[in-house]
Amino acid sequence: MSDVNEVVIVGSGPAGYTAAIYAGRAQLKPVIYEGSVTAGGALMNTTEVENFPGFATGVMGPELMESMRKQVERFGAKIITDDIVLVKLTGEIKELTDGSGNTVKAKSVILAMGSAYKEIGLPNEKRLSGRGVSWCATCDGFFFRDQVIAVVGGGDSAMEEAIFLTKFASEVVLIHRRDKFRASKIMIERAEKNPKIEFLFNHEVIDVLGDDKVSGLKLKNTLTAQEVVKDFTGLFVAIGHLPRSELLVGQLELNTDGYVQVEGRSTKTQIPGVFACGDLVDFTYRQAITAAGTGCQAALDAERFLSGH
């Protein structure tokens, strides 16, 4: 492509698709690279989404993303099912190269690559994803009412997940491979005071058991190496997130965890004409609705930038 586009959007999911909807309605003729494998973002791996406004009885994650994608098409965005593998963001015209070797040029770029949940790295963890294994308590906690479930992790996010899950589960066992948590004191105290939460220190999950759904976990004592099997119907992995910001190292300002830094409540990065939104920026809320909101902001910020140039 030798033509210079008004705006190119990298990544899909609620943030990227919403940015494309708004940019399309603004007649910017956006090009969106939705990803070859990650098209639709994290919601493609989610079952029923009950907390996205407008769906009174809930909606399946892939169905929600497909609806957004059709809306993107309706407003004239060009969708490319490929990944951007190289970016040159400095200068007035930005250049991006996709996995097929094509180069696309743009006056503005919206980055919406999202983030990935850190995984333990077990084969059955991936196989039973959505069948008892989850990385999001607010997404899936409701489905574990009156069940005994495990949470793996030792930071604030693990504490938050465990506390939230006590609204539904009969018992939550917080498993940590060390003898003390790295979470903040106040979060540990809240978890300790919750009668539904039990702590299991010095243990790590070495296997997830179950055929069609989770039935238990195989654990190993990190001090004695003794292995034990415990019954659980759910496993929530809360060991952190990884923003998909590898392409941006050395070009954009990132925080210590790799999230893109933006100006105040805007989506502006330190490079004029480059905007970032969704989970690539947000390490606090990480919800579909907040990602969609910042996708809207990014498109509006890009439109204002272009109108001023």
Side-chain angles (χ1 to χ4, degrees):
M1 299 179 186
S2 58
D3 296 339
V4 178
N5 298 279
E6 294 292 308
V7 58
V8 170
I9 300 163
V10 185
S12 48
Y17 284 150
T18 302
I21 291 167
Y22 272 77
R25 290 186 76 250
Q27 304 296 310
L28 296 179
K29 298 179 180 178
V31 175
I32 176 170
Y33 279 84
E34 64 176 355
S36 59
V37 177
T38 58
L43 282 186
M44 297 300 288
N45 299 317
T46 306
T47 52
E48 191 171 6
V49 179
E50 294 188 316
N51 53 7
F52 199 91
F55 297 90
T57 57
V59 60
M60 299 298 282
E63 182 186 347
L64 177 59
M65 288 301 92
E66 183 59 29
S67 294
M68 284 193 184
R69 192 179 192 275
K70 288 178 180 176
Q71 202 170 356
V72 168
E73 291 178 314
R74 177 188 166 199
F75 290 112
K78 182 175 183 178
I79 302 175
I80 299 176
T81 307
D82 202 345
D83 299 298
I84 292 296
V85 297
L86 182 68
V87 294
K88 295 179 182 178
L89 300 176
T90 55
E92 189 174 340
I93 303 301
K94 326 299 179 186
E95 291 189 5
L96 304 91
T97 304
D98 65 24
S100 302
N102 300 310
T103 298
V104 60
K105 298 179 180 180
K107 298 175 184 176
S108 66
V109 173
I110 294 175
L111 302 168
M113 290 95 84
S115 69
Y117 294 107
K118 285 184 183 176
E119 299 178 2
I120 300 171
L122 304 171
N124 286 331
E125 172 191 14
K126 200 75 173 176
R127 181 178 66 84
L128 292 169
S129 172
R131 296 179 173 86
V133 177
S134 174
W135 290 264
C136 180
T138 54
C139 307
D140 301 324
F142 178 81
F143 303 108
F144 294 85
R145 191 174 294 278
D146 300 323
Q147 298 181 38
V148 179
I149 55 181
V151 174
V152 175
D156 278 356
S157 61
M159 300 297 151
E160 291 172 8
E161 298 274 275
I163 293 167
F164 179 84
L165 288 167
T166 60
K167 295 180 180 181
F168 310 104
S170 59
E171 182 183 346
V172 177
V173 179
L174 194 47
I175 301 169
H176 189 43
R177 60 183 302 165
R178 298 183 178 86
D179 60 356
K180 58 183 178 181
F181 297 117
R182 64 181 184 278
S184 61
K185 186 177 180 181
I186 188 169
M187 290 304 298
I188 294 173
E189 288 176 351
R190 286 178 186 172
E192 287 176 335
K193 290 177 182 177
N194 194 307
K196 285 189 175 183
I197 297 178
E198 287 190 14
F199 295 154
L200 183 59
F201 293 106
N202 298 315
H203 280 79
E204 62 180 344
V205 178
I206 58 173
D207 200 4
V208 185
L209 309 177
D211 294 326
D212 298 324
K213 58 183 180 180
V214 172
S215 62
L217 300 175
K218 182 182 283 188
L219 308 173
K220 183 172 80 172
N221 188 304
T222 56
L223 300 179
T224 66
Q226 183 179 358
E227 296 180 4
V228 63
V229 171
K230 289 187 176 290
D231 293 336
F232 294 101
T233 52
L235 168 64
F236 284 79
V237 181
I239 57 176
H241 296 77
L242 294 170
R244 300 182 190 274
S245 57
E246 302 90 349
L247 288 176
L248 310 175
V249 175
Q251 296 200 55
L252 286 180
E253 186 180 349
L254 310 176
N255 73 6
T256 53
D257 294 318
Y259 290 88
V260 176
Q261 300 277 54
V262 291
E263 295 179 11
R265 295 186 64 187
S266 77
T267 63
K268 300 174 184 176
T269 69
Q270 87 268 25
I271 297 179
V274 179
F275 308 91
C277 58
D279 286 3
L280 191 64
V281 175
D282 176 18
F283 49 86
T284 304
Y285 301 105
R286 292 190 295 264
Q287 298 296 304
I289 188 65
T290 51
T294 58
C296 163
Q297 289 175 252
L300 295 176
D301 284 342
E303 182 184 2
R304 287 166 186 157
F305 168 81
L306 293 166
S307 66
H309 291 72

